[in-house]
Amino acid sequence: MRFTAAFLTAFFCASQVEAAASRPNIVLIMVDDMGYSDIGCYGGEVQTPNIDALAGEGLRFTQFYNTGRCCPTRASLLTGLYPHQAGMGWMTTDLGHDGYRGDLNSSCRTIAEVLRTAGYSTYMAGKWHVTKHKGADGPKHNWPRQRGFDRFFGTITGAGSFYTPSSLTLENTQLKEYPEDFFYSDAINDTTVKYIEEHSRENTGKPFFCYVAHTAPHWPLHALEEDIDKYRKRYLGGWDALRAERYARMVSMGLVDKRWKLSSRDKAAPAWEDVPAERKADMALRMAIYAAQIDRVDQGIGRITASLKRTGQLDNTIIFFLADNGGCAEGGIWGFERKKNAVPGKDSSFASYGLSWANASNTPFREYKHWVHEGGISTPLVVHWPAGMKARGELRSEPGHLIDIMATCVAVSGAKYPVAHEGRQIKPLEGVSLLPAFAGRPLGSRAVFWEHEANRAVREGDWKLVSKGRGSPWELYNIAEDRTELSNLSARKPELAARLGKLWQAYAERANVLPIYPRGTGKPKSYSRKTVFELKAGASLQGAASPNVKGKRLEVIARLAAGHGDGVLLGHGGVTDGYALFIKNGQLALAVRRSGKLQTVTAAGKLPEGAVELEAVLAKNGKVSLKVGGKVVAAGKVAGSMQRVPIEGLYAGNDGEAAVGAYKAPATFSGTIEKLTLRLGKVR
C-alpha cells in the first residue's frame, strides 16, 4: 500500500536526463529515534535491503554523531551549527535564553537557503520540528517554505499518528483530511519520488537538494499488518539474546572493535527469562511493530533510489542516511500505551517499545536518547555517491558530527556560505567537510561538543569526557579502547580530564549553552501561594514567584487612563501555554493557549477613548467573559483553564519575548495602566 492522495500525482514517465557532472544532487534521509544497531548493515536483523545496498555501493561511518534529541539534531543538521547557536538547545519551547528559544534564529542559515544561492532546487518531505510556531493561525517565518525550501509536504510538529498526523502541511497550508489508505512513512517517501520525477522533467541540468525527514520509528508504534507479519515471531527470544546476536555480528562486520566489551543490560531492565509469559508476548509484538516501521521506511528508500536511477540521476546524487538520536527509552521498562482498548499497530494505539528494547537498539552502547553517552548520540551514517567517490562497501572510523553535513553540502555545491544576511551577522560554520573522509583521508584534529538537558560531553581524538545530568561528575573514556564507556579513567588522568573540561566550558560560553538547560534550574518545585496580585506596568513574575494558575479560575481587572492605545495589558506564557489580555485595533481580547492551540475571544466594538475599567474572566470550564465599564461586551468558550503554569513567566503591560496571542511580542501597551489586578479562584 502506498500513499496516493489527490495532492500527490501519479509517477511521471520521465525520460532519462544527464545529471550535472560537477555539482551533485543531494538527498538527505533521516529517521527518528532509531538505534545504532537496528538496520542490517549495522548489525541488525531488521530487513533493510535498500539501505544495505547503498552501504554496499558506498561507505559507512562507524563513529558519526548526532546531538541525542530530535529538535537539537534537526537544527544542527540544517544549519551546520551546534544547536544552541541556532536557538534550539532544547525543544520547541522558549526557555527565556538565546540558546533555548525553541525556534531557529535569524543568525543561522539552513542548507536549503545556502544551496538555493548556488542554483539548487530545494525540496522537503517529512518532520520539521524546529519552530515554536506550529499552528495554522500563527507566524510562519520559520516554516520550511520560509527557510529555503521550494516545496514542502510534512508535519511542522514532532511525533504523532502515522495514520492521522497533526499539523500535516502541504506547502504553507495545513491539511484536515486524510485519504483512507494514508500512511505517513509512505507519504514522505512517495512525495520525495514525486519531487525527483518532476524535477527531472522540468529542471533538466539543474541540481537539487531533498531533505527526507521520517518520523519512523519514533513512537507511537504504528505499522502495517503486512510488515508486522514479517517479525511476529522474531523477538520471542527477548532482548538479552538479541543484544548478544547483534554484538557478535557487529564485531564480525568490523563495526565494533572486539576490545569494546558489550555493556551490561541496563540495571532497570529485567532478564528476559524473568519476564512473565503474557508480558513476553506483548513486548515481542512491540519490537515487531518497531522493526516493521523501519522496514517500511527502507521499502520507500528503495523507491527513491529507483526513481533516481530511472531518471539518470543516481550516479551523481549524494545520498546520506542517518538517525536523529539513539533508541528511545521513554515509557520505562515496558513502554507506555496511552489509549484504552488499543489495537497494536493501529491508530487506536499510542504505544512505545520502552527501555528494555531501546537497550538492544543501542547495542553495544550505554544510555539512550536524551543522554550523551554513546548510546544516545551514535548514529549510522551511510553515504552513497558513485560518481564522486571510489568507496564501495567500505568503513570509515573518522569521528564525524552533524555539523559536518552542511559543510559537505557547501563544498560539493559550489555555494558560498554567507557572512551576513539582511544586515545581520551569520554565525560561521562549526563543521568540516567530509570529502576527505570519503577518499579515506583524515578530517584533521578537532574537538566536538554536546549538551542536552544538562548532559554534557566533549570528544577530542580518542578521548571523551562525559557527564550524565546536573551535578554529576565528569567521566573520562578512551574511545579507541573502550567505546562502550565501561572504564572511567577520570581519577587516573585528572589533568587530561581537567583540560577537556576547560575545552567544554569554553565551548559552552561561546555557543549560547549557558545557562545550562534553564528549564532544569528555572522550573520551581512550587509557585506563589498568593491568590491576588496587584501589578504595575513593567512588572514581571518568574519562577517560584509566578501565580499558580493551573486549573484555576482567572480574573484580570485593568483600569486605564484616557488616551490608551493597543498592546498587552497582562501576558502570562507563550506559544505553548498561556493567557493574555490585550487590545488590538482598539478591541479588547483574551487569548488562551493550551498545548499550543490558540483560542481568542474578542469584543465586537472598540473601546471608548476615555478612562475605562476592563475585566476579563476565564472560568475553570473555559467560559470567557469580557466587560468594559461593568458591562459584558463579549462572551465565549475556550477549551478550559490552564493545564499547567506557563514556563515563560508573567508580564504586566507587555508579553515578554514569547507571544501568547496573534501579535508580535513584546506588544508593549501604548497607554497608561493605573491599576492591574490578577485574582485566582472564586471572588470573595
Side-chain angles (χ1 to χ4, degrees):
M1 176 171 45
R2 298 183 189 173
F3 175 61
T4 55
F7 47 82
L8 290 183
T9 62
F11 289 96
F12 290 102
C13 297
S15 59
Q16 292 192 351
V17 298
E18 183 178 349
S22 58
R23 294 191 299 159
N25 306 311
I26 303 168
V27 176
L28 178 54
I29 305 172
M30 186 163 69
V31 290
D32 198 342
D33 280 16
M34 190 190 79
Y36 183 75
S37 67
D38 280 324
I39 58 177
C41 56
Y42 277 79
E45 71 295 327
V46 181
Q47 297 174 33
T48 53
N50 296 295
I51 299 170
D52 298 350
L54 294 175
E57 298 166 3
L59 57 82
R60 287 166 289 168
F61 279 75
T62 63
Q63 299 192 49
F64 200 80
Y65 292 111
N66 50 46
T67 71
R69 191 77 178 278
C70 49
C71 297
T73 279
R74 285 157 215 283
S76 191
L77 178 72
L78 283 166
T79 66
L81 304 174
Y82 287 109
H84 307 75
Q85 295 174 304
M88 194 63 68
W90 191 56
M91 304 294 282
T92 53
T93 298
D94 192 331
L95 301 188
H97 297 275
D98 285 347
Y100 303 88
R101 291 298 178 190
D103 224 9
L104 284 185
N105 59 36
S106 55
S107 298
C108 66
R109 303 298 282 163
T110 69
I111 297 176
E113 287 171 321
V114 174
L115 294 190
R116 248 186 181 177
T117 65
Y120 274 67
S121 295
T122 55
Y123 309 108
M124 180 182 171
K127 173 178 172 177
W128 185 237
H129 211 201
V130 286
T131 179
K132 61 189 177 185
H133 302 294
K134 307 164 190 175
D137 58 346
K140 297 180 180 178
H141 61 280
N142 262 338
W143 283 25
R145 287 295 302 273
Q146 285 67 246
R147 292 306 304 247
F149 288 95
D150 298 325
R151 303 289 304 277
F152 170 66
F153 167 77
T155 44
I156 302 299
T157 56
S161 169
F162 285 77
Y163 299 99
T164 55
S166 61
S167 80
L168 188 65
T169 302
L170 179 62
E171 311 305 356
N172 275 323
T173 302
Q174 292 196 342
L175 308 171
K176 298 180 180 180
E177 296 181 0
Y178 310 90
E180 187 175 341
D181 63 347
F182 184 91
F183 191 72
Y184 194 26
S185 296
D186 283 346
I188 292 169
N189 285 323
D190 289 346
T191 300
T192 303
V193 170
K194 175 178 179 286
Y195 290 153
I196 292 167
E197 300 277 354
E198 288 183 341
H199 182 92
S200 69
R201 185 184 69 163
E202 300 170 5
N203 297 283
T204 303
K206 185 177 182 180
F208 68 82
F209 167 67
C210 193
Y211 177 35
V212 188
H214 279 280
T215 54
H218 194 297
W219 48 260
L221 295 174
H222 286 169
L224 305 179
E225 288 297 316
E226 63 196 79
D227 299 324
I228 299 172
D229 286 345
K230 300 178 186 179
Y231 302 98
R232 286 190 185 276
K233 297 181 180 180
R234 180 62 183 83
Y235 299 105
L236 293 172
W239 39 73
D240 294 323
L242 189 69
R243 293 184 78 231
E245 291 170 12
R246 288 188 177 187
Y247 178 72
R249 280 196 297 271
M250 296 171 85
V251 171
S252 68
M253 296 167 77
L255 295 163
V256 168
D257 191 313
K258 61 184 178 182
R259 292 179 296 173
W260 307 343
K261 302 303 180 184
L262 176 63
S263 61
S264 300
R265 180 198 327 113
D266 192 300
K267 62 183 179 180
W272 183 255
E273 63 183 19
D274 296 332
V275 176
E278 64 277 9
R279 177 72 80 175
K280 284 182 177 177
D282 172 63
M283 294 308 295
L285 178 57
R286 291 185 186 223
M287 186 62 189
I289 298 171
Y290 173 87
Q293 290 178 297
I294 298 172
D295 190 309
R296 197 70 186 182
V297 169
D298 182 80
Q299 294 173 44
I301 290 174
R303 297 197 293 277
I304 292 171
T305 55
S307 69
L308 289 167
K309 186 175 183 179
R310 184 167 54 249
T311 57
Q313 300 177 98
L314 181 61
D315 282 356
N316 201 36
T317 296
I318 305 178
I319 301 175
F320 296 95
F321 173 87
L322 72 163
D324 68 344
N325 46 249
C328 175
E330 292 165 358
I333 299 169
W334 313 114
F336 57 68
E337 173 54 86
R338 293 179 175 170
K339 295 185 179 182
K340 295 181 179 180
N341 303 316
V343 178
K346 302 296 185 183
D347 208 13
S348 62
S349 171
F350 204 95
S352 70
Y353 77 157
L355 176 148
S356 303
W357 285 123
N359 197 189
S361 284
N362 294 336
T363 301
F365 305 127
R366 292 172 50 199
E367 302 301 342
Y368 314 93
K369 170 186 177 180
H370 294 263
W371 292 284
V372 295
H373 284 74
E374 294 292 287
I377 58 175
S378 297
T379 174
L381 177 65
V382 173
V383 185
H384 181 273
W385 185 21
M389 61 188 188
K390 296 180 180 179
R392 298 294 184 270
E394 298 178 16
L395 301 179
R396 294 289 184 268
S397 60
E398 278 290 306
H401 190 284
L402 290 167
I403 54 176
D404 302 331
I405 299 293
M406 165 77 96
T408 308
C409 291
V410 169
V412 300
S413 68
K416 184 177 180 180
Y417 184 80
V419 174
H421 179 73
E422 295 182 348
R424 180 182 288 271
Q425 291 296 114
I426 300 300
K427 291 183 173 67
L429 285 178
E430 291 282 349
V432 299
S433 170
L434 296 173
L435 289 179
F438 290 0
R441 299 193 301 273
L443 295 177
S445 177
R446 61 170 174 163
V448 289
F449 304 91
W450 295 265
E451 188 284 328
H452 184 67
E453 297 182 336
N455 303 302
R456 303 164 292 158
V458 50
R459 178 171 174 178
E460 183 185 50
D462 290 337
W463 292 99
K464 180 181 175 187
L465 193 70
V466 60
S467 173
K468 182 180 179 181
R470 192 178 305 280
S472 297
W474 286 112
E475 304 165 17
L476 178 67
Y477 298 101
N478 184 324
I479 297 299
E481 299 177 357
D482 176 32
R483 193 177 170 202
T484 47
E485 299 170 306
L486 301 180
S487 180
N488 179 7
L489 302 176
S490 59
R492 292 169 55 183
K493 295 184 176 290
E495 293 182 357
L496 176 58
R499 184 180 69 79
L500 292 175
K502 289 180 180 178
L503 278 182
W504 187 91
Q505 186 65 29
Y507 145 77
E509 290 174 359
R510 73 171 177 81
N512 291 346
V513 175
L514 303 179
I516 300 172
Y517 185 37
R519 187 181 182 94
T521 55
K523 187 177 181 180
K525 294 181 180 178
S526 61
Y527 297 95
S528 174
R529 294 184 178 182
K530 291 173 61 177
T531 58
V532 179
F533 297 81
E534 300 290 349
L535 304 162
K536 294 183 179 180
S540 173
L541 300 177
Q542 303 290 324
S546 296
N548 187 358
V549 296
K550 180 180 178 181
K552 293 184 174 65
R553 176 187 187 274
L554 307 179
E555 180 183 21
V556 182
I557 299 173
R559 191 164 66 220
L560 310 181
H564 52 77
D566 287 355
V568 173
L569 304 174
L570 184 147
H572 188 185
V575 297
T576 302
D577 295 280
Y579 59 96
L581 182 65
F582 64 100
I583 301 169
K584 185 175 181 180
N585 298 324
Q587 296 172 283
L588 183 65
L590 182 73
V592 178
R593 278 195 192 266
R594 286 162 46 100
S595 299
K597 183 178 181 181
L598 173 64
Q599 294 179 286
T600 305
V601 176
T602 305
K606 294 189 176 183
L607 294 174
E609 295 180 357
V612 65
E613 184 168 283
L614 313 175
E615 179 184 348
V617 173
L618 170 61
K620 291 175 67 175
N621 64 0
K623 287 187 177 180
V624 173
S625 69
L626 302 178
K627 293 182 181 180
V628 176
K631 295 182 179 180
V632 176
V633 294
K637 184 80 162 33
V638 297
S641 58
M642 290 292 97
Q643 297 169 293
R644 56 187 66 89
V645 179
I647 195 170
E648 292 86 354
L650 180 146
Y651 297 85
N654 66 87
D655 199 8
E657 296 179 339
V660 175
Y663 45 77
K664 186 176 181 179
T668 303
F669 179 59
S670 61
T672 299
I673 301 175
E674 295 182 339
K675 186 175 183 180
L676 182 63
T677 304
L678 170 66
R679 290 197 178 107
L680 312 183
K682 293 183 179 180
V683 179
R684 291 183 173 83

